[in-house]
Amino acid sequence: MSFSSDAKRELCRAPLSRRCCAQAECYGILLYANRFDRGEARIVTESAAFAARLPALFKKAFHITFDRLPEAGQGKRIFSLTAPDKLSALSAAFGYDPGSTVAHHINFAVLEEEHCRSAFFRGAFLAGGSVTDPAKGYHLELATSHYSVNRELLTLLREAGFAPKSAARGANHMAYFKQSEAITDFLTAIGAPLAAMELMNAKAEKDLRGGVNRRVNCDAANLDKAVDAAQAQLEDIRRLAGRMDLAELPPKLAEAARLRMDNPEMTLTELAALCEPPITKSSLSHRLKKLGELAGEM
Ligand SMILES: [Zn+2]
């Protein structure tokens, strides 16, 4: 099961309580369905949960039954309304002039209440939406073939506090989200808090893993740097030893040279602690640098 179909299954558990909300959900479904015009309202879905919800939803909202129901065993389930009286009942409920052929618009007047808007978003998502598995990325989209509907949905979403982006893909117009927080908020608002929680957890896990990986890489890089530095110090000291007796060096430099030769693997901090008396890492670093300069002069 995909993350998207799990989210839709959760949404379809939302009870059919208010009639106004049932109508708003139908409205969202129809504007994001495969076809909604004078001749037919056609909803095609692969979601078994959505298919189970549709007849009850339309019955609750408009007391109407579908003229065509899916046949058993179909992958794509097709619901269709073709009876003129049913189609005009829908048009009337959404404030359309029955029989008009003008482009679809969202009638804001029937979505004044917040509960109805959430139901409308839910319907739009069930019919025309999808959300990517958070393990693969963050993307939630709502796609409709109606240009104005998409534009007006963007307005509705913004009014509800969201910041959707918009794009066209083929004949479809999309509103979409790319931010995990926005997707989480949207899923919660339309009635899928569990999917929202799953997304949040997936993100937290990913962030945590990213943080650990960054630290491991960083430690490894520092270690490489320390090893390279020690190698350079050893080369300098060997070069000096080839030209002179290291015991002739000033005592502090001689001590640093001897300690580095004896402990090629130690970090500066460890070496500094071995000095008599112990010195700071930066003092030791200074002495080793001095040795490097002397080796360069020779
Ligand atoms: Zn309502």
Side-chain angles (χ1 to χ4, degrees):
M1 274 292 159
S2 71
F3 183 68
S4 207
S5 61
D6 283 350
K8 288 189 181 182
R9 196 148 28 126
E10 186 186 357
L11 289 175
C12 288
R13 289 203 292 264
L16 302 173
S17 46
R18 292 192 176 93
R19 183 147 188 247
C20 60
C21 292
Q23 291 185 342
E25 189 173 327
C26 288
Y27 194 26
I29 289 167
L30 290 168
L31 291 179
Y32 279 78
N34 294 64
R35 187 175 164 192
F36 180 37
D37 55 37
R38 258 202 310 181
E40 186 187 5
R42 178 196 287 244
I43 304 153
V44 182
T45 181
E46 288 177 27
S47 164
F50 185 36
R53 182 176 178 85
L54 275 170
L57 182 70
F58 275 75
K59 185 152 201 182
K60 166 100 185 176
F62 302 108
H63 303 297
I64 57 178
T65 51
F66 285 98
D67 298 311
R68 175 182 166 184
L69 288 166
E71 289 149 33
Q74 278 180 318
K76 291 207 167 196
R77 301 166 177 84
I78 301 170
F79 293 83
S80 172
L81 285 162
T82 45
D85 60 320
K86 294 177 186 172
L87 290 169
S88 27
L90 292 177
S91 295
F94 303 139
Y96 296 154
D97 181 12
S100 78
T101 52
V102 294
H104 278 300
H105 283 273
I106 297 177
N107 182 356
F108 292 94
V110 300
L111 299 174
E112 272 177 2
E113 300 288 344
E114 203 185 313
H115 41 82
C116 295
R117 283 189 196 196
S118 294
F120 178 82
F121 293 148
R122 178 167 59 241
F125 181 77
L126 283 170
S130 65
V131 58
T132 302
D133 186 325
K136 295 183 187 127
Y138 307 118
H139 181 90
L140 182 148
E141 67 177 48
L142 299 153
T144 175
S145 55
H146 312 296
Y147 172 78
S148 301
V149 168
N150 179 57
R151 224 184 37 197
E152 288 150 8
L153 180 83
L154 292 169
T155 305
L156 268 183
L157 285 169
R158 282 186 196 114
E159 277 177 16
F162 293 101
K165 295 205 162 65
S166 179
R169 189 172 55 211
N172 278 332
H173 307 280
M174 302 189 311
Y176 67 92
F177 298 111
K178 281 281 184 201
Q179 300 276 317
S180 63
E181 290 82 7
I183 297 170
T184 303
D185 290 348
F186 182 80
L187 287 173
T188 306
I190 64 175
L194 295 180
M197 185 97 72
E198 200 180 323
L199 195 142
M200 242 187 290
N201 288 340
K203 174 158 196 301
E205 212 172 285
K206 206 190 279 181
D207 288 352
L208 190 69
R209 240 188 348 251
V212 169
N213 283 341
R214 263 195 303 282
R215 225 186 53 221
V216 167
N217 289 339
C218 188
D219 287 352
N222 283 338
L223 193 64
D224 285 348
K225 246 190 274 173
V227 168
D228 288 349
Q231 284 305 322
Q233 290 155 9
L234 283 168
E235 261 168 50
D236 289 340
I237 295 165
R238 282 190 201 113
R239 195 137 36 111
L240 276 176
R243 310 267 169 94
M244 65 180 286
D245 185 354
L246 292 180
E248 288 165 22
L249 287 167
K252 289 178 179 175
L253 292 186
E255 184 188 32
R258 187 179 49 79
L259 284 174
R260 178 43 97 202
M261 293 279 270
D262 292 348
N263 307 285
E265 245 112 81
M266 279 194 184
T267 65
L268 282 188
T269 313
E270 288 165 337
L271 273 187
L274 289 182
C275 288
E276 290 283 346
I279 56 172
T280 63
K281 177 181 164 187
S282 74
S283 301
L284 180 66
S285 167
H286 186 75
R287 290 179 194 180
L288 289 167
K289 220 173 275 168
K290 188 79 196 161
L291 287 171
E293 281 166 22
L294 286 175
E297 282 165 16
M298 284 185 149

